[in-house]
Amino acid sequence: MTKLVLIILFLVFYLIVLFFSFFYSKRNKRALRKKIIIPASKPSLKEEEFNPDMSTDDWDLHKIRLEKFRRSKYKELNFFLSSENRIYYLSEKGAKVYC
């Protein structure tokens, strides 16, 4: 008789564990569905033209920004225009490297 009671208790405990694991897995799936990932939007040409701190790969846009703001970021490197209209960038040590 005690073996039968133990088996029944074990089955009830097992069913409770199954129920809660199913409930939490379903809840997590719903939470994952609610998260919406918005892809990074590419800035428009107008935004890039008026922001010299945005990196660009367009050489013509880079030249326009240098003339307008006297600085521009081209391929993740900041370039500057000196008072003699020479283009330079700063090295890691802080020295001006003219192009």
Side-chain angles (χ1 to χ4, degrees):
M1 185 70 176
T2 52
K3 287 184 181 181
L4 183 64
V5 171
L6 284 175
I7 291 173
I8 292 173
L9 285 175
F10 178 74
L11 285 174
V12 168
F13 178 74
Y14 182 72
L15 290 174
I16 290 172
V17 169
L18 274 177
F19 173 75
F20 281 114
S21 66
F22 177 74
F23 176 73
Y24 282 117
S25 69
K26 220 174 184 173
R27 184 174 169 198
N28 288 339
K29 285 180 186 175
R30 259 190 258 131
L32 288 175
R33 268 191 272 143
K34 287 182 182 177
K35 293 181 184 175
I36 298 173
I37 299 172
I38 300 172
S41 62
K42 186 177 184 286
S44 68
L45 188 60
K46 198 79 164 168
E47 290 174 332
E48 284 184 339
E49 187 176 342
F50 292 113
N51 190 354
D53 298 323
M54 291 177 93
S55 185
T56 184
D57 293 333
D58 185 3
W59 178 254
D60 295 326
L61 177 62
H62 171 64
K63 296 290 278 185
I64 291 170
R65 293 193 310 192
L66 274 174
E67 291 172 6
K68 192 174 200 174
F69 302 106
R70 304 193 62 79
R71 64 187 167 91
S72 179
K73 195 171 200 176
Y74 180 69
K75 294 187 179 179
E76 299 299 326
L77 186 61
N78 287 316
F79 288 88
F80 304 94
L81 195 62
S82 68
S83 57
E84 299 93 30
N85 288 334
R86 293 179 61 197
I87 299 171
Y88 68 93
Y89 64 92
L90 298 176
S91 69
E92 291 178 1
K93 295 180 181 178
K96 292 181 179 180
V97 179
Y98 287 93
C99 302

